[in-house]
Amino acid sequence: MQGEKIHNTIECVRLLEKVRRSHTLLQISLPGVPEIFFSTILKIDDDFTHLYLDELSEKKGHELLLVHKKANVLTKLNNINIQFSLNLDKISEEDGIKIYHFHFPDSLIYFQKRQSFRINIGIGTSIPVKLKREEGTPIYGNVINISDSGAGISLDTNESLRVSELVPFCEIRLDIDRSILCQLEIRYSELKKETEKQHIGGKFIGLSGPDQRDISRLVLDLQRDMMRRLPREDHI
């Protein structure tokens, strides 16, 4: 999807300051990591050299950020998505809360069409998945993150699914009485050495109207829960 690339620092500051004031979630992805994490903007410094973000939504995200020191960010303003990359400078702490000091981004990409947020499935919540090719035995797993348009899935085996492969049968069980059915186009596939399990990311294909509404309702409920657990006040 194409977007307008904004290099003007003052315009970037103006947009990100609006994101900060609205307490809008930032969707954080790290290089080579399938999970999605969340944060909010705490402050833009006065000389526009640094952007301060709140502690990531999960401890695992914090630990991985220490390793990679880079983050890709997706957020939205008035239903228009903004995407940018950040490089970590240092980390401070205030009242037990980590504060990330990122170098201010060189540019933002401003999308005219809405993109979907991926929301992590919390510990204690299980959303089972059943996948099946035209031939062969079913492949089982669990959703680890989900959006209106796709999901990240941890498979119970090291079964190999290829990027760009279209799995003709995908059943996602939202609760004991409700499942959705679709096809799944594989967009990401990686074997996790520590668990010897395959992690995949896929796009939903052929969702019915009611199934799409159920997925959107689940994503909205998860996002609201995430917002309730994030701090609402600046730490700086």
Side-chain angles (χ1 to χ4, degrees):
M1 182 186 302
Q2 295 296 315
E4 177 189 359
K5 197 165 189 176
I6 300 173
H7 293 278
N8 183 282
T9 301
I10 299 303
E11 181 65 10
C12 291
V13 169
R14 184 184 70 81
L15 291 170
L16 293 181
E17 183 60 24
K18 286 185 176 182
V19 171
R20 185 195 70 82
R21 289 199 302 268
S22 65
H23 299 284
T24 301
L25 279 175
L26 307 182
Q27 176 178 301
I28 309 290
S29 59
L30 305 175
V33 178
E35 292 90 347
I36 302 297
F37 308 100
F38 293 88
S39 183
T40 53
I41 298 175
L42 295 176
K43 179 182 175 182
I44 301 170
D45 68 2
D46 293 338
D47 57 2
F48 310 149
T49 61
H50 284 83
L51 183 69
Y52 299 86
L53 300 191
D54 201 358
E55 186 169 356
L56 293 185
S57 54
E58 296 181 28
K59 183 179 178 181
K60 179 181 179 180
H62 171 75
E63 293 170 348
L64 288 168
L65 179 60
L66 294 180
V67 174
H68 294 284
K69 301 187 183 301
K70 294 179 182 295
N72 296 313
V73 182
L74 176 65
T75 187
K76 63 182 178 179
L77 185 64
N78 299 325
N79 285 331
I80 295 177
N81 284 275
I82 299 172
Q83 183 176 309
F84 53 97
S85 297
L86 293 173
N87 293 304
L88 184 65
D89 183 14
K90 63 179 181 179
I91 300 174
S92 61
E93 187 170 320
E94 185 172 320
D95 297 329
I97 303 296
K98 303 288 190 305
I99 299 169
Y100 305 116
H101 301 233
F102 286 99
H103 295 289
F104 196 82
D106 295 329
S107 62
L108 308 177
I109 300 177
Y110 189 69
F111 292 92
Q112 295 300 320
K113 184 178 179 181
R114 186 174 180 177
Q115 291 180 318
S116 298
F117 271 59
R118 284 272 177 109
I119 305 294
N120 284 351
I121 305 303
I123 296 173
T125 300
S126 176
I127 302 180
V129 178
K130 177 182 177 182
L131 304 173
K132 195 173 187 306
R133 294 179 166 120
E134 294 289 354
E135 298 179 354
T137 59
I139 305 167
Y140 296 94
N142 283 277
V143 174
I144 54 177
N145 57 62
I146 193 166
S147 74
D148 287 340
S149 60
I153 300 167
S154 175
L155 302 181
D156 292 342
T157 70
N158 60 359
E159 181 76 25
S160 178
L161 291 170
R162 302 180 306 275
V163 172
S164 80
E165 179 178 355
L166 183 64
V167 180
F169 179 87
C170 172
E171 180 184 9
I172 300 177
R173 185 167 293 280
L174 300 183
D175 57 46
I176 193 169
D177 298 318
R178 182 73 176 107
S179 293
I180 68 161
L181 298 174
C182 63
Q183 297 176 310
L184 190 71
E185 180 184 342
I186 307 302
R187 297 291 186 87
Y188 166 89
S189 181
E190 181 184 13
L191 179 64
K192 291 294 182 180
K193 293 181 179 179
E194 62 271 21
T195 61
E196 295 187 349
K197 292 183 178 180
Q198 196 81 8
H199 278 201
I200 62 171
K203 179 181 178 181
F204 302 137
I205 303 293
L207 279 174
S208 68
D211 284 353
Q212 182 66 75
R213 287 191 290 274
D214 282 350
I215 289 289
S216 297
R217 189 177 301 115
L218 171 64
V219 170
L220 182 59
D221 288 344
L222 291 169
Q223 187 170 356
R224 284 172 174 165
D225 181 63
M226 181 69 68
M227 287 294 292
R228 284 194 293 269
R229 291 187 282 115
L230 281 175
R232 299 287 295 183
E233 299 179 359
D234 291 355
H235 302 297
I236 298 181

